[in-house]
Amino acid sequence: MFNAITHSQLYVLDQDEAVDFYVGKLGLEVNTDIDLGFMRWLTVNVPGAPDRQILLELPGGPQMSEQTAEQVRDLVTKGAMGTVILTTSDCRKTYDELLVKGVEFTQEPVEQPYGVDCGIRDPFGNHIRFTEPKTA
């Protein structure tokens, strides 16, 4: 039936601030930035991997009422709206580089059965993990 996942979505509270964080600090690249009138379609991806994008979306219309959007914004700030997991070839080096850039960590790098893993938060409250997968 299906053969790929092309987009995942995160709610953010400010798309320009999201670009500053996801591109400026994490090193992702903007794939698409289009004003559709009713919303701004803003996606980012890992450099060189445009086949898997993250939609950085503002809570709101047309798919939700203002009351629902307010509830979603509240859940975002509480960190209750999902997680993105990225991979890196060197978790501890990436940790050091992001620490210098002022990224907020929720967990320092730790050995896990699947590799080295740590956690950060974006400026809005979303959880992001990055992992250095264990090699065989």
Side-chain angles (χ1 to χ4, degrees):
M1 287 180 66
F2 301 107
N3 58 20
I5 296 173
T6 62
H7 292 73
S8 297
Q9 177 267 354
L10 280 178
Y11 285 115
V12 298
L13 305 182
D14 180 300
Q15 288 174 308
D16 291 328
E17 187 177 358
V19 169
D20 289 344
F21 179 78
Y22 285 93
V23 175
K25 291 189 177 182
L26 297 190
L28 302 182
E29 61 187 19
V30 172
N31 183 291
T32 308
D33 190 352
I34 300 172
D35 181 353
L36 299 175
F38 61 91
M39 72 175 287
R40 179 180 175 190
W41 184 267
L42 174 63
T43 66
V44 295
N45 57 265
V46 171
D51 56 327
R52 180 80 163 120
Q53 300 171 41
I54 303 169
L55 172 64
L56 302 172
E57 184 177 6
L58 293 175
Q63 72 275 20
M64 64 180 72
S65 69
E66 182 51 39
Q67 179 182 9
T68 300
E70 184 57 40
Q71 293 169 338
V72 169
R73 286 189 286 273
D74 186 49
L75 289 170
V76 168
T77 61
K78 292 177 180 177
M81 292 302 292
T83 302
V84 170
I85 302 172
L86 304 169
T87 60
T88 180
S89 60
D90 188 333
C91 189
R92 288 179 178 85
K93 179 181 176 187
T94 302
Y95 169 83
D96 290 339
E97 291 171 358
L98 294 179
L99 200 60
V100 168
K101 292 181 179 183
V103 172
E104 178 188 347
F105 281 82
T106 57
Q107 181 184 26
E108 295 179 359
V110 62
E111 293 283 338
Q112 301 286 1
Y114 50 83
V116 182
D117 177 86
C118 70
I120 60 179
R121 287 172 58 102
D122 76 6
F124 317 105
N126 292 304
H127 296 280
I128 302 164
R129 305 222 39 105
F130 60 91
T131 302
E132 176 187 339
K134 185 176 273 187
T135 56

